[in-house]
Amino acid sequence: MSRIRSVAASALEVNRRTVLAAAGAVSLSAGVGYALRPTDSQAATPPTETEAPVADSRRAAAPAPLAPYTKGTTLASVAAPRNSSGYRRLGDGPGWKRVVRAELAAPRSGRAERRTALAAFVQFTDLHLMDVQHPLRLEYLRSHDVHAWRPHEALTVPGAISLVERVNALRGAPVTGAPLHFVMTTGDNTDNNAHSELEWFMKVMSGGRITPNSGDPRHYEGVQNSGLKLYWQAASGTRDHDKALGFPHLDGFLAAAIREVRSPGLNLPWYSTVGNHDALPLGCYGSHGDRYLAEAAIGGKKLMNVSAADAKKLQDTIKNAKDPKATGYRDFLKAHARAMRSVTPDEKRAPYTQADYLKAHLDPAYQGLGPVGHGYSSANLDAGTQYYAFRISDDVIGISLDTTDAGGHYEGSIGTAQLKWLDRTLKDHKDSYAVVFSHHTSTTMTNTRPDPARPGEKRHGGAEVVSVLSAHANVLAWVNGHIHKNVVTPHKASGGRSFWEVSTASHVDYPQLARVIELVDNKDGTVSLFTTLIESAAPHRTDYADLSQTGLAALYRELSYNAPGANRTLAGSAADRNTELVLKKG
């Protein structure tokens, strides 16, 4: 890998400033309205073999020797079912072709020979690393809604590690061959807002040994060994609802699911954006400070089964945002106290706060290949913010927004201070292209209830964010997740201003994807954004006898395909997957 990088670096004539950007040493702003500059020691740091250099876009780049290529991407192959009915076994399917999107600008002939690389990076989103034994989980909603619990949820950690392995194996950007600059994860990195999950996430991304278990260190305690037919009882003889659909009996499955695994960590710098599942307990409750729920999270009782009618009532209050402070949820748990089962208490399951989240990112133990804080800084910690801007390359900046609402509910919005900061940052860097990152999409920013920490501040929805972005000619893309589906949306404004909104599928629901994004100058008055989807490194075919770390990652994908009620449209149309998105230069 280091040899490949050195070849590409030579071909692209890397300079000192852009190497610093790739190493994460150049931060523009930490959401408090001023710039942070690298220290002298950072500025003097020479590039190493593990740093991913950024192309010097001020010079014409030499043709990249490794491009174009398809290996390891969905251009080459995508997991697909090998049988047509019942439980589907996966295998190697045909790849997805690239589609040129011309709604915002006409592609001009000969651009492939003229173009130069501006930037290249990878987007992860919605990893949903889960402590599946957590006492506050809502698995029992499955009695009303089959989508509320997934049979593969115990395997999120080996599945995410396999995605890291895929990125580490890529030779560079598929279209240009340019070195990949960084990975950005756009939120819902954890699932239950638990300290246990946050530790696992940081180790998945930066490297380390992980035991995806909590409670009793000797064995699993949760819905999958409960004997309840509502859930897949993989290692027992119970004839549960999922086995009736063809799910296999797998001796040793639960023991393997909580066994120690190892992440190599990304061989690129990585940045982090916050999602509602990271900021709110269960992704929907603004209940930090609620003593009852905090104690229940680390306590020894877990509710596993309720009636369909009770499940529907609770789910409706969540979906309709009728209980953002979790008052009704607390009462619901108290009313079902006698039905709870005993589990081993564990303080690691406690909910983490915004400050905890920032401190974990700033912890040197989780630095990986950087940058320090993974975008966040001590300024964020002091100001109580989770948004920032950073330099991607000489010609491109990145802006990470916090679209979560501490007041509760899973849809998003941003406050006036952040909206003004976004506008100001784009103005201050009008000579650089900009890529904006967030968790929520423009259509899911509909939750404008006040932030309890800033009760007098107005909240703004997606339409207002689109309006601000459309006012700046330097905005190329808004990259996000949350909806667990591939959707690419053109946004066109007056005066030739336009940008693409790129929403990427999750890594918990099938097809479990991430996305490589390349920005190129076509040298003809247009810019192209190339999007290329990737799967994890796990083989498409599964072997039920293989419960190794790799075998579990393969099983994670196959089980997700077969999850009852799985939405098979989340891959999106061909125009939402591998694309070339053309824009006029601002």
Side-chain angles (χ1 to χ4, degrees), residues 451-518:
D451 180 344
R454 301 170 178 85
E457 183 184 42
K458 182 181 178 181
R459 303 289 295 185
H460 304 269
E464 291 178 89
V465 175
V466 168
S467 179
V468 168
L469 299 182
S470 298
H472 297 275
N474 56 333
V475 176
L476 299 181
W478 180 4
V479 179
N480 50 45
H482 185 61
I483 58 175
H484 292 210
K485 184 175 182 178
N486 292 318
V487 180
V488 176
T489 305
H491 290 280
K492 189 171 186 177
S494 60
R497 295 183 176 93
S498 57
F499 67 92
W500 290 95
E501 184 174 356
V502 180
S503 307
T504 300
S506 73
H507 202 253
V508 64
D509 290 314
Y510 188 84
Q512 296 183 337
L513 301 170
R515 200 186 293 259
V516 179
I517 298 177
E518 302 172 68

Side-chain angles (χ1 to χ4, degrees), residues 79 87-88 90 130 142 146-147 149-156 159 232 247-248 253 484 506-513 535-536 540 542 552-570:
Y87 180 92
R88 312 295 178 85
L90 298 183
M130 296 183 191
R142 199 188 204 211
V146 71
H147 305 90
W149 179 80
R150 312 169 181 92
H152 55 285
E153 289 181 350
L155 303 180
T156 56
W232 179 43
F247 274 69
F253 172 78
H484 292 210
S506 73
H507 202 253
V508 64
D509 290 314
Y510 188 84
Q512 296 183 337
L513 301 170
E535 300 171 292
S536 79
H540 292 153
T542 57
L552 291 176
L555 186 60
Y556 182 55
R557 183 193 294 122
E558 184 172 285
L559 293 172
S560 73
Y561 183 93
N562 287 281
N567 185 346
R568 303 280 171 76
T569 70
L570 296 180

Side-chain angles (χ1 to χ4, degrees), residues 184-200:
M184 169 63 84
T185 176
T186 53
D188 281 5
N189 307 305
T190 64
D191 191 66
N192 304 304
N193 177 247
H195 274 280
S196 52
E197 297 169 339
L198 181 57
E199 178 186 337
W200 302 345

Side-chain angles (χ1 to χ4, degrees), residues 393-473:
S393 68
D394 277 354
D395 293 334
V396 186
I397 65 168
I399 298 175
S400 174
L401 301 179
D402 174 8
T403 56
T404 65
D405 192 331
H409 194 45
Y410 53 82
E411 304 293 42
S413 60
I414 63 175
T416 298
Q418 186 177 179
L419 191 67
K420 289 182 176 179
W421 169 86
L422 172 62
D423 186 51
R424 184 170 63 251
T425 301
L426 290 169
K427 287 178 180 176
D428 291 346
H429 299 278
K430 62 181 182 297
D431 294 328
S432 293
Y433 293 117
V435 178
V436 177
F437 301 94
S438 73
H439 179 64
H440 292 89
T441 66
S442 61
T443 58
T444 57
M445 291 180 64
T446 57
N447 174 25
T448 55
R449 63 173 36 84
D451 180 344
R454 301 170 178 85
E457 183 184 42
K458 182 181 178 181
R459 303 289 295 185
H460 304 269
E464 291 178 89
V465 175
V466 168
S467 179
V468 168
L469 299 182
S470 298
H472 297 275

Side-chain angles (χ1 to χ4, degrees), residues 124-170:
F124 287 2
T125 195
D126 296 87
L127 296 172
H128 284 278
L129 297 180
M130 296 183 191
D131 183 344
V132 294
Q133 300 170 81
H134 195 288
L136 293 185
R137 297 204 67 224
L138 304 172
E139 297 108 328
Y140 45 79
L141 293 182
R142 199 188 204 211
S143 65
H144 162 66
D145 180 359
V146 71
H147 305 90
W149 179 80
R150 312 169 181 92
H152 55 285
E153 289 181 350
L155 303 180
T156 56
V157 171
I161 293 172
S162 187
L163 185 60
V164 167
E165 292 171 339
R166 167 61 70 209
V167 172
N168 288 352
L170 293 175

